[in-house]
Amino acid sequence: MLDTLIHLAYIAAAALFVLGLHRMNSPATARSGNWLSAVGMAIAVGAAVVDVATPAPGQHVSGLAWPIIALGTVVGGGLGLYTARSVQMTAMPQLVSLFNAVGGGAAALVAIEDYTKLATAGDSIPLETTVSTVLGVVIGCVTFTGSLIASGKLQGLVPGRPIKFAGSQVAIGVLALVVVAGALYLIFGAPSLPILALIIAAALTFGVLMVLPIGGADMPVVISLLNSFTGTAAAMAGFVIGNPVLIIAGALVGAAGGILTKLMADAMNRSIVNILVGGFGTGDTGAGAAAGAATGSVREVGVDDAAIMLAYAQNVIVVPGYGLAVAQAQHNVRELADLLESRGVNVSYAIHPVAGRMPGHMNVLLAEANVPYPQLKEMDEINPEFSRTDVALVVGANDVTNPAARSNPSSPIYGMPILNVDQAQNVIVIKRSMRPGYAGIDNELYTQPNTGMLFADAKDGLSQLATAVKAL
Ligand code: TAP
């Protein structure tokens, strides 16, 4: 009876995970989706605790199980709550990466513990257990160290530039061979703890060497890929210990992370392999960016002229990008938009899928400033609107507005879908200088005759515009 209840609780938890994930489809329902998933997780943890507390006849549960579960819940839950509440929005990618590391490491530990128990008992280990164990250990260990390096790169603890050394490719190849050979030995040969230890060491080193050569600015894609690995490792751990909810949750994370990785790569018109081995992007906005200052005739626009253009427009599209996040100017853009709307201007926001440095970066920022969701338009929806728009106000966005992606086959971003900002009647660009963005290339938009550059920090520029609009 209790067993049935526990399984029903697992099914309810799995259903809540699926529903929660579905509600993440739109910013309007994402918060409730998060809550549903959290309730699902609480149910799953509760059911697992009851499961441990009521061992089957003949099954021995250590007296230490309860104190360890209680300690884990208090320490893990407390740390999770504290970090989630205190983290800066811009530091979210590195926090997600740390959580990935913890998830991957935990999945590997579960598999290692189970295998060690079976191997030391001297019994023969069923093939399916060995396969799940080996996969769980390998994926979990690669995710653990890979995610720590990714997090370190984003936090500035590890240099963001691609780090390569002589023979690093060979070393990666040798480690991969060691992992595969060791896995085959365990699957088809006798149980062996030294071979398991060798696989663990090789997989941990592989994770480090896999992520070091990737540029810091590509880390969000790498983190999404590692997130997908975490899910897969957790699903494997679920197979090892026979826990259905771990299998389902792990498979959901694995699939969702994989799809997100593919979507991000597509939105940058790059393959996942190119991201992993391409060494693209410096990861630092300073030195690399300064290298390619744009040439051509640039027209500057003053704050007062820009304010007049905006205030007397019928339609304005705001195009936010990474610079908006750097300047933390989300509240200022909202204030300016409110002022314009009070004058009868239609304002909407064009959201490019990879604007900023993490998935949903612009949605999260604008939601923080309570910008109404219906004003946020996805790229495919807003692109036909630009040619009917009086003013496109670009705030700290660069690559995602570069017409070279459409017209210049030799451009590194050629083929990347962009926002058709250049088709608006007038374009106002707020940025601090002519320095390029993440891709390190000039933007043809800035030399178009209908573009006016307003050189300023996004926060300052927007608040000066708001003051000027108020004065009209
Ligand atoms: P970027 O092309 O990186 O351009 C950002 C611009 O913001 C820079 O040119 C910079 O110019 C300006 N800026 C920086 N700080 C500013 C401030 N305080 N005030 C005003 N402007 C400021 O950004 P984007 O258009 O959002 O494109 C994102 C890029 O990142 C794409 O190339 C994309 O492929 C890449 N990427 C995105 C993701 C995800 S998931 N979002 C993941 C990996 C890579 P100044 O220095 O002159 O001010």
Side-chain angles (χ1 to χ4, degrees):
M1 176 64 186
L2 190 64
D3 226 28
T4 313
L5 281 179
I6 289 172
H7 274 86
L8 281 176
Y10 283 157
I11 291 171
L16 287 171
F17 294 157
V18 175
L19 270 176
L21 206 55
H22 178 69
R23 292 184 74 78
M24 309 254 176
N25 264 333
S26 149
T29 52
R31 273 172 213 262
S32 64
N34 220 4
W35 269 111
L36 281 181
S37 304
V39 170
M41 188 53 81
I43 293 175
V45 171
V49 170
V50 175
D51 212 358
V52 173
T54 52
Q59 192 187 353
H60 170 73
V61 173
S62 153
L64 279 178
W66 273 104
I68 289 175
I69 289 173
L71 194 71
T73 310
V74 171
V75 173
L79 274 177
L81 195 67
Y82 172 74
T83 43
R85 293 190 80 91
S86 59
V87 67
Q88 289 286 324
M89 210 56 230
T90 41
M92 197 56 103
Q94 45 267 51
L95 180 66
V96 170
S97 194
L98 266 187
F99 286 167
N100 279 345
V102 174
L109 283 177
V110 168
I112 292 167
E113 197 267 347
D114 206 66
Y115 188 87
T116 313
K117 221 163 49 188
L118 291 172
T120 44
D123 303 336
S124 73
I125 304 176
L127 183 67
E128 60 273 21
T129 306
T130 315
V131 171
S132 311
T133 305
V134 169
L135 285 175
V137 168
V138 172
I139 303 171
C141 289
V142 169
T143 309
F144 178 65
T145 48
S147 299
L148 286 181
I149 297 290
S151 183
K153 281 201 175 218
L154 288 176
Q155 191 61 33
L157 300 172
V158 177
R161 65 187 152 73
I163 300 173
K164 292 180 182 168
F165 58 88
S168 59
Q169 300 286 12
V170 178
I172 288 182
V174 170
L175 289 169
L177 270 179
V178 169
V179 167
V180 172
L184 289 176
Y185 181 89
L186 289 190
I187 290 169
F188 297 109
S192 164
L193 289 181
I195 297 288
L196 183 70
L198 187 69
I199 293 177
I200 294 169
L204 288 172
T205 320
F206 184 93
V208 175
L209 295 189
M210 182 182 97
V211 179
L212 276 181
I214 304 174
D218 272 339
M219 280 309 122
V221 188
V222 175
I223 288 169
S224 174
L225 186 69
L226 291 169
N227 187 27
S228 153
F229 285 4
T230 306
T232 313
M236 291 303 146
F239 280 116
V240 172
I241 60 171
N243 185 309
V245 83
L246 201 51
I247 297 172
I248 295 169
L252 282 174
V253 173
I259 292 169
L260 181 61
T261 311
K262 175 84 176 73
L263 286 177
M264 275 200 272
D266 287 352
M268 291 194 272
N269 195 35
R270 295 169 62 203
S271 69
I272 294 172
V273 173
N274 173 278
I275 290 166
L276 290 180
V277 298
F280 188 83
T282 61
D284 307 312
T285 43
T295 52
S297 170
V298 168
R299 185 173 63 89
E300 273 194 61
V301 65
V303 170
D304 292 335
D305 290 342
I308 289 172
M309 264 197 267
L310 290 166
Y312 295 104
Q314 214 169 17
N315 298 303
V316 168
I317 299 180
V318 178
V319 181
Y322 178 62
L324 183 91
V326 174
Q328 287 291 293
Q330 60 273 29
H331 297 285
N332 307 74
V333 82
R334 165 87 205 261
E335 186 198 350
L336 177 64
D338 285 351
L339 277 172
L340 294 176
E341 287 193 308
S342 68
R343 299 179 63 100
V345 182
N346 291 321
V347 180
S348 43
Y349 295 78
I351 308 298
H352 189 282
V354 294
R357 291 289 185 273
M358 64 175 182
H361 205 166
M362 297 303 118
N363 297 74
V364 170
L365 274 181
L366 296 173
E368 205 179 305
N370 291 320
V371 171
Y373 298 130
Q375 286 186 0
L376 308 186
K377 310 279 186 206
E378 300 291 332
M379 181 168 60
D380 293 340
E381 189 186 354
I382 198 81
N383 262 346
E385 300 298 321
F386 278 106
S387 57
R388 294 191 280 271
T389 294
D390 306 300
V391 186
L393 176 64
V394 180
V395 188
N398 190 339
D399 296 342
V400 299
T401 65
N402 194 339
R406 277 196 323 254
S407 59
N408 181 358
S410 61
S411 169
I413 61 165
Y414 182 66
M416 166 171 147
I418 55 152
L419 293 165
N420 295 333
V421 173
D422 55 321
Q423 294 171 1
Q425 311 294 317
N426 296 285
V427 181
I428 300 170
V429 178
I430 304 182
K431 71 198 290 289
R432 298 163 306 174
S433 66
M434 286 301 285
R435 280 199 299 269
Y438 161 72
I441 53 170
D442 293 342
N443 191 339
E444 295 170 11
L445 178 72
Y446 305 159
T447 49
Q448 277 193 178
N450 62 338
T451 301
M453 303 294 295
L454 203 170
F455 291 115
D457 169 78
K459 200 171 196 160
D460 297 343
L462 287 165
S463 65
Q464 284 169 22
L465 277 177
T467 311
V469 168
K470 273 185 213 157
L472 285 174

